[in-house]
Amino acid sequence: GEAGGEGMFAGRPGRGRQPKPPPDPHARIVELVTLACESGGSAPDPELLRALKREVRADAVALRRAHDTLMDRCLRHRECGPRLHAVVIVDELFRRSRDFRDAHMERLDAFLRRAIVGRDSGADPSEAIPGPVEDADRLVSRACRALQEWNERFGAHYPRLGVALRFVDDVLGPAAPASIAERESREARRRDDEERARRLGRWRRCERERLPGLRRDAGEYAVAIGECLAILLGAKPSSNFEHDDEPDAADGDDDENDERWEDVDADEPDDSSPGGRDTDPTEPPPPPPLRTTPPGQPAGDVARLAGGDVRVAVTDDNRVVVDEVRRLCRAATVRVLPGLAEALALVAGIHSIPADHRSTPSSEGGGRVNDLSSVNDALSSESKAAAVNALARCKRTLRAAVDRCVALSVVAGSNPG
């Protein structure tokens, strides 16, 4: 019976079925990598990427499994979008983990074929970079940028990165990101040179044609405004703004008055007049200078404002001087100050050419030194600083004179400049 029983169950254990394989311990990692690469959009889904980082952190086996999934599944995808996302994830993990870097360096050639040079190297169709061309260009550009940054940061520890970068430049030729960046840099320098030359030409014309007149007018206006304000405030006689129809009393009476003068001791007042000197009763008294007066004085020379400031009002005695001050301030704010500000901005915006750029051969001259270097040398840093300081000082002086007129209410405060 026992023998028959053994014979009965001898052929039944398998029944043609294989034992069920054990569950994949890294199935979640494979799922996260696949979903992140196929999530669509311009970049991998940030939530999936954070979840993947948490799963592979401090686990070398999990990192290698994630790397294998990226290389064998995502970078073999038939569309450029998942491959681009795979490059982004590889770049992120490459920077963070030494174990991932070690795993990636072992398969760097496959990365180059599937992300950079696949379309130009006659590679296996499963590794060739798919279209369209715009998406393929974005993929290649992103992978080349990652490779260049890896070489800059980790090239000392992984010399193969430098070799791979030179290989990519040789294979792609003018389409290599390094070549494109060099062309863009040359074009940017050329535009800067042209703009610098235009600015320098405008400054030379301004310096030759407009600046002498502006600086002369600014100096004369500032002095004239100061003299007019001194007249209005009683600091000096109004010698420049006398009426033509008023006779000069001093010219005709000098001979008659000479005999009335006598030597008087400095400490002895003259009893003949309250002021300590003889006066001619028939001579009209000189006009009193403008002065501050207490509140309550009738409208006239000066009125004191609430804040203690002084305001000059127009009277018959000072109308000519006030009109001249207003004319000077109007000309200063409308023409001279804006002209000085424009010249100052023009010379301040001229930048010197870098030393390494001055000797750069021109693309059109076959090794000819840049012509702009000699032009720029004419405006050295010292001469530029001197021009800026002189213009700023001139503008500041004239602006202070106009502001003083505004403070005294001789002119309105809404003038430009």
Side-chain angles (χ1 to χ4, degrees):
E2 293 180 1
E6 291 177 1
M8 180 184 303
F9 295 99
R12 297 183 59 184
R15 291 190 178 181
R17 292 179 301 177
Q18 298 295 330
K20 185 177 181 180
D24 186 357
H26 299 111
R28 176 170 171 77
I29 294 175
V30 175
E31 181 182 9
L32 287 173
V33 170
T34 304
L35 291 176
C37 290
E38 298 178 356
S39 58
S42 59
D45 184 271
E47 293 295 333
L48 293 173
L49 189 56
R50 279 194 290 269
L52 175 62
K53 292 177 184 177
R54 286 195 299 267
E55 291 291 332
V56 301
R57 183 178 297 142
D59 188 344
V61 178
L63 276 170
R64 186 169 289 274
R65 184 62 183 273
H67 181 266
D68 292 341
T69 305
L70 288 166
M71 295 296 299
D72 297 330
R73 175 179 294 188
C74 301
L75 280 176
R76 285 178 175 269
H77 204 279
R78 294 182 179 181
E79 297 180 4
C80 275
R83 293 198 187 195
L84 178 60
H85 290 178
V87 170
V88 173
I89 297 174
V90 168
D91 185 24
E92 187 76 19
L93 297 178
F94 190 95
R95 297 168 184 270
R96 290 175 172 267
S97 171
R98 186 180 62 184
D99 292 330
F100 190 90
R101 288 194 292 272
D102 293 339
H104 192 63
M105 293 306 299
E106 296 175 2
R107 306 187 63 182
L108 185 60
D109 295 342
F111 176 81
L112 299 179
R113 290 194 306 270
R114 298 167 190 176
I116 298 178
V117 299
R119 59 179 175 179
D120 298 321
S121 61
D124 187 326
S126 63
E127 295 184 341
I129 297 177
V133 177
E134 295 80 6
D135 295 343
D137 289 341
R138 282 195 293 270
L139 171 61
V140 172
S141 176
R142 182 63 179 86
C144 288
R145 190 178 72 194
L147 183 63
Q148 184 173 2
E149 293 174 356
W150 297 344
N151 183 55
E152 293 173 357
R153 185 172 178 181
F154 306 105
H157 301 285
Y158 301 100
R160 285 188 61 200
L161 290 172
V163 177
L165 194 58
R166 289 190 295 271
F167 168 74
V168 168
D169 291 339
D170 292 340
V171 171
L172 298 183
S179 301
I180 296 174
E182 179 62 25
R183 288 196 302 271
E184 292 176 350
S185 177
R186 286 197 302 266
E187 182 65 20
R189 288 200 301 266
R190 185 187 63 80
R191 289 194 298 267
D192 290 343
D193 290 345
E194 292 177 353
E195 178 63 22
R196 187 181 294 108
R198 283 194 294 267
R199 277 183 170 272
L200 193 55
R202 289 171 54 196
W203 164 248
R204 291 308 184 197
R205 288 193 299 272
C206 177
E207 189 179 33
R208 183 175 58 252
E209 299 171 4
R210 295 186 57 197
L211 202 55
L214 287 173
R215 296 184 63 176
R216 181 188 64 248
D217 292 345
E220 292 177 356
Y221 288 1
V223 172
I225 290 173
E227 292 180 350
C228 290
L229 292 181
I231 294 170
L232 292 175
L233 298 176
K236 60 168 62 176
S238 176
S239 59
N240 295 331
F241 303 97
E242 293 178 350
H243 296 286
D244 294 337
D245 55 351
E246 292 183 358
D248 190 354
D251 293 341
D253 296 340
D254 282 346
D255 297 337
E256 299 178 3
N257 295 334
D258 282 345
E259 60 187 12
R260 298 192 216 149
W261 290 98
E262 62 182 5
D263 294 334
V264 180
D265 293 338
D267 55 353
E268 295 181 4
D270 188 3
D271 297 334
S272 62
S273 66
R277 64 177 180 87
D278 291 334
T279 58
D280 186 359
T282 64
E283 180 182 355
L290 297 181
R291 60 193 181 277
T292 58
T293 56
Q297 179 183 359
D301 298 343
V302 181
R304 182 179 294 273
L305 298 181
D309 298 330
V310 174
R311 176 178 136 187
V312 176
V314 181
T315 66
D316 293 338
D317 295 330
N318 65 8
R319 187 178 304 278
V320 175
V321 183
V322 170
D323 290 342
E324 179 67 10
V325 172
R326 289 174 176 173
R327 183 189 69 80
L328 293 171
C329 290
R330 186 181 307 111
T333 55
V334 172
R335 182 177 61 86
V336 181
L337 285 172
L340 290 174
E342 181 182 355
L344 188 60
L346 185 59
V347 67
I350 300 176
H351 302 290
S352 60
I353 299 177
D356 57 346
H357 186 202
R358 296 190 180 195
S359 59
T360 301
S362 173
S363 59
E364 300 174 357
R368 176 172 54 88
V369 177
N370 196 323
D371 293 337
L372 293 174
S373 61
S374 60
V375 177
N376 188 75
D377 288 340
L379 186 65
S380 63
S381 58
E382 292 79 8
S383 59
K384 174 183 173 181
V388 169
N389 292 336
L391 287 172
R393 184 167 53 250
C394 186
K395 180 175 179 287
R396 185 167 55 247
T397 301
L398 183 58
R399 180 75 263 174
V402 175
D403 288 344
R404 191 180 179 205
C405 295
V406 173
L408 292 172
S409 297
V410 180
V411 296
S414 59
N415 291 312

